[in-house]
Amino acid sequence: MQSDTFLHLANVSTLLVCMVLKFPQIFVLLRAKSTTGISLKSLVLELVGYVVFVTYQVYYDYPSPTYLEYPILIAQDVVLLLLILLYDGRLQDSLKYGVVFVVGWRVLTVEKWIIDFAMSLCTIISAASKFAQLQCLWRSKDAGQVSALTWALATFTCATRIYTTVATTGDVQVLVRFVVMTLLNLWVLLSVLHYGRHRHSTIKED
């Protein structure tokens, strides 16, 4: 009974956090109208990882509470993508991205081996998205408009998903993905905080 309560709390808290996870980053972009420090490559790879992951979960009819937040995250990432393209003067590219994602999503479920193969690459794709953001931070040495709160929330949700995966499906591929994502999200968060402090101290010195 107690384990069921913990599982329910983990699922509900994850869903609630994910409903607003990208809001801090969206608000920062809207206010600054600048994409400094934000990696477009990271966002696109993250979207690919989300689409593959949720498609895999639906394909194998996993319990919906274990992945319900992903359609919400995809919607928020689409908004972020449009804002980044807008402020980078590349809004016309949004149609190209839309076509690629829709076609790719349809292809995933054509054959069982395709979705299985895509899921085997999902952790690598998602990890690559985090490294792309880290590289952007390392190059610029400036957190710019990157929201630390968004990355903190992402770390929390991946950590809770480690527990819910163990308690429900026990899928090793999914579990490994969440462990890796938790560690990488934490790494990005610490980097954002580090470069954010460095930026503020530089401004004070000037």
Side-chain angles (χ1 to χ4, degrees):
M1 181 65 71
Q2 190 176 30
S3 61
D4 289 342
T5 302
F6 282 141
L7 180 60
H8 179 69
L9 287 174
N11 281 325
V12 171
S13 64
T14 301
L15 181 59
L16 290 176
V17 169
C18 284
M19 288 176 70
V20 297
L21 193 150
K22 301 288 183 171
F23 280 23
Q25 185 62 78
I26 290 171
F27 292 149
V28 168
L29 274 177
L30 287 171
R31 185 172 62 250
K33 293 181 171 52
S34 167
T35 62
T36 304
I38 300 174
S39 169
L40 176 61
K41 184 193 298 184
S42 172
L43 182 63
V44 171
L45 287 170
E46 182 177 73
L47 261 172
V48 171
Y50 284 168
V51 170
V52 170
F53 183 78
V54 75
T55 305
Y56 176 86
Q57 298 273 323
V58 172
Y59 187 87
Y60 283 102
D61 199 27
Y62 281 172
S64 58
T66 63
Y67 64 85
L68 200 57
E69 71 271 18
Y70 279 86
I72 300 171
L73 289 173
I74 289 171
Q76 292 178 58
D77 266 1
V78 168
V79 173
L80 269 177
L81 177 61
L82 291 174
L83 286 174
I84 291 173
L85 292 175
L86 172 65
Y87 295 134
D88 282 350
R90 298 172 51 194
L91 192 57
Q92 68 276 7
D93 290 344
S94 59
L95 181 60
K96 176 181 68 177
Y97 282 108
V99 170
V100 170
F101 273 107
V102 170
V103 172
W105 171 64
R106 296 297 298 173
V107 168
L108 284 173
T109 54
V110 170
E111 295 285 348
K112 179 180 179 295
W113 70 266
I114 297 177
I115 187 62
D116 287 343
F117 179 68
M119 186 59 196
S120 70
L121 297 177
C122 190
T123 299
I124 296 173
I125 294 169
S126 296
S129 78
K130 312 307 176 188
F131 278 115
Q133 182 58 62
L134 284 167
Q135 285 179 333
C136 188
L137 290 168
W138 294 336
R139 280 197 304 267
S140 65
K141 299 189 186 306
D142 183 1
Q145 310 310 322
V146 183
S147 169
L149 180 55
T150 285
W151 286 99
L153 294 175
T155 303
F156 168 78
T157 57
C158 282
T160 59
R161 279 307 178 209
I162 293 173
Y163 171 71
T164 61
T165 301
V166 171
T168 53
T169 65
D171 190 307
V172 176
Q173 282 195 97
V174 175
L175 183 60
V176 169
R177 179 183 184 276
F178 282 128
V179 171
V180 172
M181 291 305 98
T182 299
L183 295 174
L184 290 178
N185 281 335
L186 181 59
W187 192 358
V188 175
L189 170 61
L190 294 175
S191 297
V192 171
L193 293 174
H194 170 72
Y195 289 120
R197 276 200 303 269
H198 177 72
R199 183 187 189 194
H200 290 318
S201 63
T202 302
I203 291 173
K204 285 181 180 179
E205 288 174 5
D206 292 343

